Amino acid sequence: MKLTKNFSLKEFECKCGCVMPEFVKKNVIELAYNLQVLRDVVGRLDLTNAYRCKEHNADVGGAVNSQHVKGKAADIKSSTIEPWDMAVAVDNLMKSEKFKLGGIGIYNTFTHVDIRGSGARWSKTLNK
């Protein structure tokens, strides 16, 4: 099922293969719309994680109240943009109200983005 010009529902499904609940699907559609806005600005994005059921979230050590469980978060990476620069691009889109306000987390190999409706920022990078 195509959600936007460049994203399909399959990209957002839980890695364990479970069925995505309908209420989560509504959030995923909104997330996909926002990620499309980002993609139109920065180019190709790869989703490494999006929706996670509670069981899979626990298996990967995700936070109990993770936005991934709600279908409101994705971990993204780009072959041409570093996580810090991706975070800046998302933050600028949020400030200009082109991307729904939410969380931005910077990791060594990816950037977490979510549409929780309130701002949250963190960095879990290792200094090299």
Side-chain angles (χ1 to χ4, degrees):
M1 174 180 171
K2 197 107 166 134
L3 301 177
T4 69
K5 178 174 62 175
N6 297 107
F7 293 108
S8 68
L9 183 61
K10 185 169 180 59
E11 294 174 87
F12 292 85
E13 291 174 348
C14 185
K15 303 280 189 216
C16 80
C18 67
V19 176
M20 183 185 294
E22 284 303 312
F23 80 92
V24 169
K25 200 175 288 184
K26 290 177 184 175
N27 293 334
V28 162
I29 290 167
E30 183 180 14
L31 177 61
Y33 171 80
N34 282 274
L35 290 173
Q36 184 65 54
V37 171
L38 175 62
R39 181 171 177 163
D40 290 345
V41 171
V42 301
R44 183 185 168 110
L45 299 174
D46 293 314
L47 306 185
T48 60
N49 275 287
Y51 168 65
R52 294 185 201 136
C53 67
K54 288 181 182 179
E55 293 79 14
H56 184 67
N57 191 59
D59 288 346
V60 299
V64 175
N65 294 321
S66 172
Q67 297 297 312
H68 288 280
V69 176
K70 300 172 186 176
K72 293 185 172 189
D75 297 333
I76 59 175
K77 59 193 286 188
S78 164
S79 60
T80 59
I81 300 172
E82 293 296 320
W84 174 262
D85 295 322
M86 185 69 73
V88 170
V90 175
D91 190 53
N92 287 337
L93 288 169
M94 287 181 181
K95 286 177 182 171
S96 67
E97 299 181 358
K98 293 177 181 170
F99 194 108
K100 184 174 180 175
L101 185 61
I104 303 172
I106 305 166
Y107 295 79
N108 287 332
T109 60
F110 66 91
T111 307
H112 167 100
V113 296
D114 68 59
I115 55 168
R116 69 182 69 194
S118 59
R121 305 289 183 269
W122 66 92
S123 176
K124 296 210 175 180
T125 59
L126 299 174
N127 293 329
K128 295 181 180 181

